[in-house]
Amino acid sequence: MRAKPLAGSPFGGRPTSAQEYGPGLSLLLVAPLVLLLVGGFLYPVGKLFWGSVFVPEATFANYARILQEPLFLLVLWRTFEIAFVVTALALLLGYPVAMAMARVSGRTAMLIAACVLIPLWTSVLVRSYAWIVLLQRNGVVNNALIETGLTGTPLRLLYTQGAVIAAMTQVLLPFMILPIYSVVRNIPDDFVRAARNLGAGSLQAFFRVTLPLSLPGVTAGVLITFILSLGFYITPALVGGPGTLMMSTLIGQQTTELLDWPFAGALAAVLLAATLLLVIVFRRALALNKGFKLG
Amino acid sequence: MASNTAALLAAVPIGLILFFLLLPTLIVIPMSVGTSPYIEFPPLGLTFKWYKAYFSDPDWMAATWFSLRIAVATTFTATVIGTLAAVALIRGRLPAKEYLQALTLAPLIVPHIVIAVSLYLFFAPLGLVGNFYGFVIAHSMLAVPYVVITVSAALQRFDPNLELAALNCGATRLQAFFHIVLPNIRPGVAAGAVFAFLASFDEATVAFFISGTEGKTITRKMFEDIDFNLTPVIAAVSTVLTLVSLVLMSTIEIARRRSDHDRLG
């Protein structure tokens, strides 16, 4: 229980209670963080968005251009499409793994956890490189397909939408598995057993007990995966081709190659707006601030 | 019997998914010791020449040292700033606390491409592109949320009465912090520091944009080499990067398990 501040001055100043740091000291402690985030984050991002409307003069032309040119709408649509497919695949592949991780014990659980965590701790660049090695013309997958006689000539796998989806799903899968696991782990076995005793089949018990109870984890996993997919840069840039242009690559091109940074700012604003909208709508599910509110 | 068969049937797809998860990490290790100068799998022969090529290439070494220096400075900056802020955010009486918490976590939510492009445009006129200090600012900003989260979690578990006792025994706030609070939240601070190090050392998107022709991080150099000249040296670099991450993260994981065990036992 938090002690009530004793005879505290309403204007702050000295600490009013030993368990609590006073407003003056607290502000001093938080000041470096605020300075870093305002100077290194808010100001630069704000400047980019400001420029998208006010450089060289006040105009919404950059935003109108996104709506008018089919290419940009296509890229926006494709970005959402890829993010959606990646999220759906991650859910489909991640849910059983999360379930297995929660149900088994001892050595097997450790083994599954290692398989989930090791890729999470591997650099995104390393994994994108690995996907190139796997998917290129004389790569591992093509060699295997030819040796088993499934195909005569090497298939074009790299620089396709399929390559982007496979690589992104692999990179983001742990972000789906971990939130689901943390919820499923806490569903008591008794609930499923009770359902079985009352005559439910194992499928029925799953769909009517486990799945509904695991929804908070599923929503968190889906949201995190979807948000991360929307803004992914490295993997699509390396394993994707011209036909798989995503928002992030487009924003990068506008900035570094075409030097049209007011337009890049408009594209970035659209991407950020989409992301924030998702976060605001599903704020409860995301619970990013659980570090603050563990108690 | 029937449930055994069912368990076995379930184990096969799960095994395949785990294989899919692990394959890209594991494939680079054999690639890095194969003799062929092209991408070849399975590798023929065993050689360490790609590692030698990496460690003797001045460009690779310059990028590696640059990244290491940035990561060490980022770890220090983000850990100090993040720990102080976490204390204020958890224990302090702050106006607009909710907004400060939201601001702290914002860099985790905003797409990295947006942050990267913004920083590039902000840094370019200031001469901070490819600059050590520019990187430390950028990476500290990206790393500080991880420190705040881990230290906040540790502070939630810390009993403030211990600090009160120290104050009653005549300690100043500063003494109480360094002798009582800090030793108690040390696992959280240490975990935050490791996260900060890796957030900087492994960071690729922002590094891609704010690297210069001179000041280039290892991730930027890797990106270029993967894009333009795909040699087995990248497999060697990948293996080194993976080992650094795995060793550091396993250390946190083991420490975390040990401290959980201590509390339960």
Side-chain angles (χ1 to χ4, degrees):
Chain A
M1 217 179 79
R2 177 164 284 181
K4 258 205 172 114
L6 302 170
S9 143
F11 303 106
R14 71 193 172 83
T16 48
S17 147
Q19 274 103 334
E20 244 181 10
Y21 288 68
L25 182 59
S26 302
L27 279 177
L28 194 70
L29 291 175
V30 89
L33 176 87
V34 173
L35 206 68
L36 176 68
L37 289 178
V38 169
F41 172 68
L42 278 188
Y43 179 75
V45 173
K47 197 174 142 112
L48 176 71
F49 294 153
W50 178 269
S52 71
V53 180
F54 293 105
V55 172
E57 68 213 36
T59 169
F60 280 101
N62 288 314
Y63 292 87
R65 204 175 137 202
I66 299 176
L67 294 174
Q68 280 156 2
E69 283 187 41
L71 170 74
F72 301 130
L73 284 180
L74 178 74
V75 171
L76 191 63
W77 170 250
R78 187 188 292 130
T79 306
F80 273 87
E81 191 185 63
I82 290 178
F84 182 81
V85 174
V86 166
T87 308
L89 276 175
L91 180 62
L92 211 66
L93 299 177
Y95 200 98
V97 175
M99 281 277 285
M101 210 163 128
R103 289 280 175 269
V104 298
S105 56
R107 218 171 268 268
T108 324
M110 293 263 282
L111 191 74
I112 300 181
C115 292
V116 175
L117 292 176
I118 288 172
L120 184 68
W121 300 338
T122 310
S123 164
V124 173
L125 271 168
V126 171
R127 289 186 279 165
S128 304
Y129 167 65
W131 279 105
I132 294 175
V133 172
L134 286 165
L135 297 178
Q136 65 180 339
R137 263 189 91 73
N138 53 352
V140 180
V141 173
N142 264 324
N143 284 348
L145 288 176
I146 290 168
E147 266 172 42
T148 52
L150 283 171
T151 174
T153 49
L155 303 174
R156 186 170 175 272
L157 301 169
L158 197 59
Y159 311 125
T160 62
Q161 191 144 321
V164 175
I165 289 170
M168 279 178 66
T169 306
Q170 193 272 336
V171 171
L172 293 171
L173 198 46
F175 293 97
M176 181 67 86
I177 295 175
L178 293 173
I180 298 178
Y181 163 72
S182 70
V183 172
V184 172
R185 189 183 53 168
N186 290 324
I187 301 175
D189 282 346
D190 299 355
F191 287 14
V192 177
R193 229 172 289 144
R196 298 297 300 271
N197 277 344
L198 292 169
S202 53
L203 269 182
Q204 207 179 1
F206 171 76
F207 279 110
R208 299 189 59 177
V209 178
T210 312
L211 187 63
L213 285 173
S214 68
L215 277 184
V218 170
T219 329
V222 163
L223 193 59
I224 294 171
T225 312
F226 197 83
I227 286 175
L228 289 175
S229 326
L230 282 183
F232 237 54
Y233 180 75
I234 299 291
T235 307
L238 287 173
V239 305
T244 61
L245 196 63
M246 285 176 76
M247 280 294 272
S248 53
T249 326
L250 188 64
I251 295 170
Q253 272 182 5
Q254 295 291 334
T255 315
T256 54
E257 288 166 32
L258 303 170
L259 306 175
D260 188 354
W261 68 268
F263 185 58
L267 291 168
V270 170
L271 182 64
L272 182 67
T275 308
L276 287 184
L277 200 69
L278 282 167
V279 173
I280 290 165
V281 172
F282 296 100
R283 198 161 62 138
R284 273 170 191 284
L286 198 57
L288 262 174
N289 56 346
K290 70 180 171 200
F292 289 122
K293 289 171 185 158
L294 270 179
Chain B
M1 201 55 199
S3 78
N4 269 343
T5 324
L8 208 66
L9 276 176
V12 173
I14 287 172
L16 285 174
I17 300 168
L18 295 178
F19 177 72
F20 169 71
L21 265 170
L22 220 46
L23 182 67
T25 304
L26 294 186
I27 199 171
V28 296
I29 301 168
M31 299 277 315
S32 70
V33 292
T35 42
S36 162
Y38 309 102
I39 304 301
E40 201 171 59
F41 198 92
L44 305 164
L46 178 78
T47 175
F48 287 102
K49 68 177 170 187
W50 310 119
Y51 287 90
K52 229 172 112 187
Y54 165 51
F55 286 109
S56 58
D57 182 326
D59 281 354
W60 275 114
M61 281 297 106
T64 308
W65 282 118
F66 192 53
S67 276
L68 272 178
R69 281 172 50 220
I70 294 165
V72 169
T74 298
T75 306
F76 179 78
T77 316
T79 308
V80 171
I81 292 180
T83 304
L84 295 180
V87 170
L89 287 168
I90 294 294
R91 303 275 310 280
R93 288 214 294 144
L94 272 174
K97 202 185 240 185
E98 302 261 301
Y99 292 100
L100 281 173
Q101 291 179 344
L103 172 68
T104 307
L105 300 173
L108 292 181
I109 296 166
V110 174
H112 276 196
I113 180 69
V114 175
I115 298 179
V117 169
S118 304
L119 284 173
Y120 169 70
L121 294 168
F122 177 46
F123 282 172
L126 301 176
L128 284 174
V129 164
N131 179 287
F132 173 77
Y133 297 101
F135 267 108
V136 175
I137 294 171
H139 282 180
S140 298
M141 177 270 288
L142 292 170
V144 87
Y146 297 107
V147 179
V148 176
I149 288 174
T150 56
V151 176
S152 295
L155 276 169
Q156 302 268 12
R157 289 196 293 260
F158 169 72
D159 181 1
N161 285 321
L162 292 175
E163 195 185 359
L164 182 62
L167 293 177
N168 280 344
C169 291
T172 62
R173 267 270 182 228
L174 210 62
Q175 281 173 329
F177 180 77
F178 280 106
H179 291 297
I180 306 296
V181 183
L182 197 56
N184 273 288
I185 60 168
R186 205 170 48 198
V189 177
V194 174
F195 281 126
F197 182 90
L198 285 180
S200 168
F201 194 67
D202 260 358
E203 201 285 320
T205 308
V206 171
F208 178 82
F209 283 90
I210 67 170
S211 279
T213 37
E214 286 297 308
K216 202 182 270 183
T217 63
I218 188 168
T219 48
R220 164 77 196 229
K221 170 93 175 113
M222 259 189 93
F223 190 101
E224 284 174 2
D225 273 49
I226 294 173
D227 226 12
F228 300 119
N229 43 350
L230 210 58
T231 68
V233 178
I234 305 168
V237 180
S238 293
T239 308
V240 171
L241 275 182
T242 305
L243 287 180
V244 169
S245 300
L246 289 187
V247 167
L248 284 176
M249 293 302 288
S250 312
T251 318
I252 303 193
E253 193 64 19
I254 290 164
R256 195 179 61 84
R257 280 187 190 192
R258 193 174 297 155
S259 80
D260 277 358
H261 189 77
D262 284 350
R263 259 208 319 286
L264 293 174

